[in-house]
Amino acid sequence: QETAQVICEGFFFCPQEAGNLCSLLQSSHALANMSSTETANKMKIAIMGPIRRAQIQKKVKSVPSRDVKVQINNATKMVNSQQTVLEAAIKNFGIRIPFNCRAGICGACECIYGSGSPPNVQKFPCNITGLNRKIRVCQEPVQDGMRIITLDHEMDMMRQGTADE
């Protein structure tokens, strides 16, 4: 077994993870057709994705198993605390939230975090309002009292508000 390691942003990679990066770099035709931002994001996901997913799973499994009350859009359910919001949305609510990396890197799974929700959640600024009200549901364990609004639901509410005028 090889002991060589690759270092990136303070993390150590085993040869297999470094191999994933090499495979990505070898597909230069695909990378040539992407913008520099897309290329950087794809590389970041290839490099950091496995590590971040492992960290998220460790965080989720460290949460004591119990039923917690979660609201997504207009539905409220009791769900197991040992899962991410994305997993609960798919498994318990039947809601398909878009996702890509499942590591909190790409932002494809961002949703709105409702007011009155538990405070210890990493939030990101909204592109429109600048308020820290978005979360990446692939990386957040469900917590009792969470209120999540999917972006498609918010857009539907905005469309209905303009249609009613």
Side-chain angles (χ1 to χ4, degrees), residues 24-36:
L24 177 67
L25 294 174
Q26 289 170 353
S27 62
S28 60
H29 177 70
L31 293 176
N33 294 327
M34 294 184 204
S35 70
S36 59

Side-chain angles (χ1 to χ4, degrees), residues 4-74:
Q5 295 179 330
V6 178
I7 301 173
C8 179
E9 292 188 25
F11 291 99
F12 293 93
F13 296 88
C14 69
Q16 179 185 3
E17 291 164 338
N20 292 341
L21 175 60
C22 291
S23 297
L24 177 67
L25 294 174
Q26 289 170 353
S27 62
S28 60
H29 177 70
L31 293 176
N33 294 327
M34 294 184 204
S35 70
S36 59
T37 303
E38 288 174 315
T39 303
N41 286 339
K42 194 150 185 91
M43 289 180 65
K44 189 172 184 181
I45 292 167
I47 294 169
M48 301 301 296
I51 293 168
R52 294 287 299 273
R53 282 189 288 277
Q55 290 171 337
I56 291 165
Q57 285 307 308
K58 184 178 178 184
K59 179 180 175 182
V60 167
K61 295 305 175 200
S62 72
V63 174
S65 181
R66 63 186 181 101
D67 284 345
V68 294
K69 184 177 175 182
V70 176
Q71 178 182 344
I72 299 180
N73 296 335
N74 295 327

